[in-house]
Amino acid sequence: MTAAATTHDEYHDHGPAKGFMRWIVTTNHKDIGTLYLVFALVMFFVGGIMAMVIRMELFEPGMQFVDPQFFNSMTTMHALVMVFGAVMPAFAGLANWMIPMMIGAPDMALPRLNNMSFWVLVFAVLLLASTLFMEGGAPAAGWTLYPPLVLQGGNNLPFAVFSVHLLGVSSILASINIIVTILNMRAPGMTMMKMPLFCWTWLITAFLLIAVLPVFAAAVTMLLTDAHFGTSFFDAAGGGDPVLYQHLFWFFGHPEVYIIVLPAFGVVSTVIPTFSRKPLFGYSSMVYATASIAFLSMIVWAHHQFTVGMPLAGELYFMYATMLIAVPTGVKVLNWTATMWKGSLTFETPMLFAVAFVVLFTFGGFTGVMLSLAPADFQYHDSYFVVAHFHYTLVVGGTFPVFAAVYYWLPKWTGHMYNEKLGQLHFWLTLFSFNLTFLVQHFLGLAGMPRRIPDYAIQFADFNMISSIGAFILGASQLLFLYIVVQTIRGGEKATDEVWEDAAKHGLEWTLPSPPPYHTFATAPEIK
Amino acid sequence: MKKTKPLLTALAMLVLGMSAAQAEYALNLPTGVTQISREVYDLHMTVIWICVGIGVVVFGAMFYSIYHHRKSRGAVAAQFHESTKVEIVWTVIPFIILISMAIPATKAMIDMDDTSNADLSIKVTGYQWKWRYEYLDEGIDFMSNLDPLSNAARQKGSTIKPERVLHYLRNVDRPLVVPVNKKIRFLFTAADVIHSWWVPELGWKKDTIPGFITEAWTKIEKPGVYRGQCAELCGKDHGFMPIVVVAKTEEEYAQWVAEQKGEAAAKVEAAGKTWTQDDLIATGEKVYNSNCASCHQANGEGVPGTFPAIAGSPVVTGPIERHIEVVLKGGGSMMPPFADTLDAVDLAAVISFQRNAFGNNIGDAVQPSDIRSRLASSR
């Protein structure tokens, strides 16, 4: 199994290609990891600017800055850019950097495929972004691209569809690479049940991606043929059904939530033990819980559509199945709490983000249980309550663990310690402004404010203003993150190999120098 | 200490919200005015309190650990890392809690689903961006648009302050009028894209899907005015298609029905008489502003690349036959057919207006009676 890795006697260490071409042609997992992370950060700011436009328009009642159509493009593109451009690539970047170092492999199993996954992603996102400059504007039917509305989009529809196809290709290739790497490239003695949990969560996520992305690709292709080739998959006049699209979309869309959040669970399960100075509590139940969540995520999709007029049996089935997800998720939260219990805790920036993730994600889980109750969902659905809920799960799930991971491994990657004071300031600003932005949105939704509206009734004015102020602080705080990262790359206090106290107990990567050489584990380490 | 921040933030927001609540700002679901809305409210509150309970236990343990098990307080890490007994316990307990939530939820869902034995049926059709209400038993049929004052105030650069508009964006030109204490069955559909009909005081929303009928029911217990709006993104003016339900006592409702029938008769008569061109144009301007201006703009210039201009339009300034056809049957991928949604007078008026406004000085007009005979022959 690891014969290839151990027989590299004639191995010559060579550095990266010189100059700019290094980044175009690289097949090195660390370089590609960096590319993914930098791309994710850029897209995080692009999607963030869109969020700023949305919150600016919603700052007070009346239309001040943008037209309703452009507002709809902003909500649509904000979601697509954040999900496909920022969060997923960020986790792919972490996977590229860390999985080989965690399992003692010299690189990813399929390095050229790895390069291709990244560059396909870049062009996919550029294709999508190009619609912003088209006559008629970018897609404005929501990131869910529901027909018949999305079919009114004109020229932007084919661009969005082809972009989704390419995003799918990129993610599937990356998933194949991760699966092959984890199954074949582990160092001798690194059994499956000894792998760091981050590898486990990514392995399961990769299978999930391969299972659901083709369905999404098929659904958008059907949109394309409905719009341009005379089919009527989603048009009742031709025997189709608009709701069919929703079933197909959410068969992908709900697992997508876990595609984002499972690797986040992996990061948090790595960070919390290190700063608790204890092993992770219930490792095997964490693995089983991750697998159960992945399975359940594929059989609950229609809870996004309780109001489309499903038969009673359908409503009840999807309600019960959805409620079940609370069980394995609860196990995870309790295991993290038990990991901290009787530990010897310190709160450096990665730990702060990890603990905030556990608290806020659990809060998002509570509103998730509320939303799972079909009759109550008839009130919550498509209101700001839902917006608040999914930002508590996806912003907290998609960015807090990435911040935790970056602060945790940045000293390893660069060989420099980041500025701890600034890191903690970044954390507190983010935590405060995040809650200021999204907590009040629960109240707005319960009071009757629908989502995706560019203007609102007067009774919603105060909370919207608070939310907008929170969003502006949240946006500005991320510039501090950019500053900290750039500062750390450029220099700073020299990091030790272990970086964190006794970190070597918590992963192979801490046995390597900081920064690690261009090629690591050319000879596989022996795991006891 | 460090992790109390989100909690403090939450508390501060709650206090802030409570004081705001006195100034008519709602923080929570309304209890509503139907049996269903109360069932949903009770379910909602039950689950909130269960979650608060779980939160207190789990976060309590976590915060205890964060405070007492800090390295700075001299805590030494224990090395335990599993306990099958404990893990089984905290898998089973959530199961039991979930079952306790599922029971009332199932009951409410079954009640909500039962649309049988209705006293009257109303068909609701979603259009971009207005609602149509058809009383299937009474033969009453009308459109409900955003009220003109809100519509003027919501335009970009409008000088009317939203704060000065009563029920800004939550008011309509013609509300849905229903009797109290009668079981009303709603049949929902849509003409173009998916919409969703939501009045929080009734306790639910329902999607309206083109080509399909979805059902829901209500039995309002208290006379009053209940407001809501479209909840499913339906395009540009999704935020501007409110819903107003006026619930009246049975006698008042009967009176209202009689008035509507009288008005309908008057409309038929109006469509039969011959109108002067000035009257047509004056009426047409109002029809234009509430039906055409959201795309073709109040100044008739349209939006380049998306919505064609009326000013100097080849259709409007060309032969009237073609102009009438486009208005009645729709055109392009966006323009809906107006034959179903406007009556003969409004159609004749708006066509006449367009041909004589925005610098289109064609000088001709079409009579409501012409439109009516054309509509009759096309059906």
Side-chain angles (χ1 to χ4, degrees), chain A residues 353-374:
Chain A
F353 273 110
V355 174
F357 163 85
V358 177
V359 174
L360 297 180
F361 188 80
T362 305
F363 187 79
F366 288 153
T367 52
V369 171
M370 294 168 75
L371 282 159
S372 75
L373 302 168

Side-chain angles (χ1 to χ4, degrees), chain A residues 61-69 72 135-136 140-142 146-149 152 236 240-243 246 276-285 307-310 312 315-316 319-320 323-324 326-327 331 333-335 337-338 340-347 352 355-356 358-360 362-363 366 369-370 373-383 424 427-428 431-432 435-436 439-440 443 445-463 466 501, chain B residues 1-3 5-6 9-10 13-14 16-17 20 24-30 37 40 43-44 47-48 51 54-55 58-59 61-66 69-72 75-83 86-87 90-91 94-95 98-99 101-102 104-106 108-110 112-113 128 153-157 162-163 165 168-170 192-194 196 198-207 209-212 214 229-240 304-306 333-334:
Chain A
M63 299 298 298
Q64 288 87 21
F65 302 102
V66 298
D67 293 317
Q69 183 72 14
N72 291 345
E135 203 174 70
Y146 278 6
L149 183 61
Q152 294 181 346
D241 183 350
V243 177
Q246 300 186 12
S276 303
R277 291 163 183 77
K278 263 183 71 193
L280 180 67
F281 185 86
Y283 173 92
S284 40
S285 68
T307 61
V308 297
M310 269 186 289
L312 182 62
E315 307 267 5
L316 292 178
M319 171 168 82
Y320 300 147
M323 293 172 83
L324 278 182
V327 176
V331 166
V333 170
L334 293 166
N335 280 358
T337 311
M340 290 165 66
W341 190 257
K342 297 213 163 157
S344 174
L345 306 174
T346 54
F347 293 92
L352 289 173
V355 174
V358 177
V359 174
L360 297 180
T362 305
F363 187 79
F366 288 153
V369 171
M370 294 168 75
L373 302 168
D377 185 70
F378 277 78
Q379 286 278 32
Y380 309 141
H381 180 74
D382 267 340
S383 77
Q424 298 208 5
F427 167 74
W428 288 111
L431 181 70
F432 169 75
N435 284 293
L436 193 62
L439 190 73
V440 291
F443 308 140
L446 294 176
M449 179 167 162
R451 63 191 286 207
R452 293 165 166 166
I453 56 173
D455 193 6
Y456 46 80
I458 303 301
Q459 66 263 35
F460 305 133
D462 287 6
F463 285 142
I466 293 172
E501 188 184 352
Chain B
M1 178 202 89
K2 288 200 169 182
K3 284 268 97 322
K5 193 72 171 261
T9 320
M13 288 295 113
L14 271 178
L16 192 142
E24 260 189 284
Y25 292 101
L27 267 178
N28 200 353
L29 279 184
S37 71
V40 167
L43 178 65
H44 164 78
V47 179
I48 284 190
C51 289
I54 300 171
V58 175
F59 296 150
M62 188 179 287
F63 291 131
Y64 180 89
S65 178
I66 286 171
H69 303 149
R70 301 166 79 88
K71 197 184 175 200
S72 57
V76 179
Q79 289 302 314
F80 66 86
H81 56 87
E82 59 186 355
S83 161
V86 171
E87 288 171 64
W90 68 41
T91 309
F95 257 115
L98 288 175
I99 290 168
M101 293 179 188
T106 304
M109 194 61 241
I110 291 170
M112 206 181 247
D113 195 63
Q128 284 176 317
R154 64 108 174 167
Q155 303 300 328
K156 206 163 82 179
E163 291 81 2
V165 179
Y168 176 61
L169 299 187
R170 288 246 162 168
D192 32 50
V193 301
I194 301 172
S196 187
W198 183 27
V199 177
E201 301 271 1
L202 305 190
W204 46 262
K205 65 178 65 66
K206 199 81 175 189
D207 294 358
I209 296 160
F212 290 83
T214 51
Q229 62 191 100
C230 178
E232 175 70 46
L233 179 61
C234 57
K236 185 168 75 70
D237 286 349
H238 162 55
F240 310 106
T306 313
S333 64
M334 295 286 283

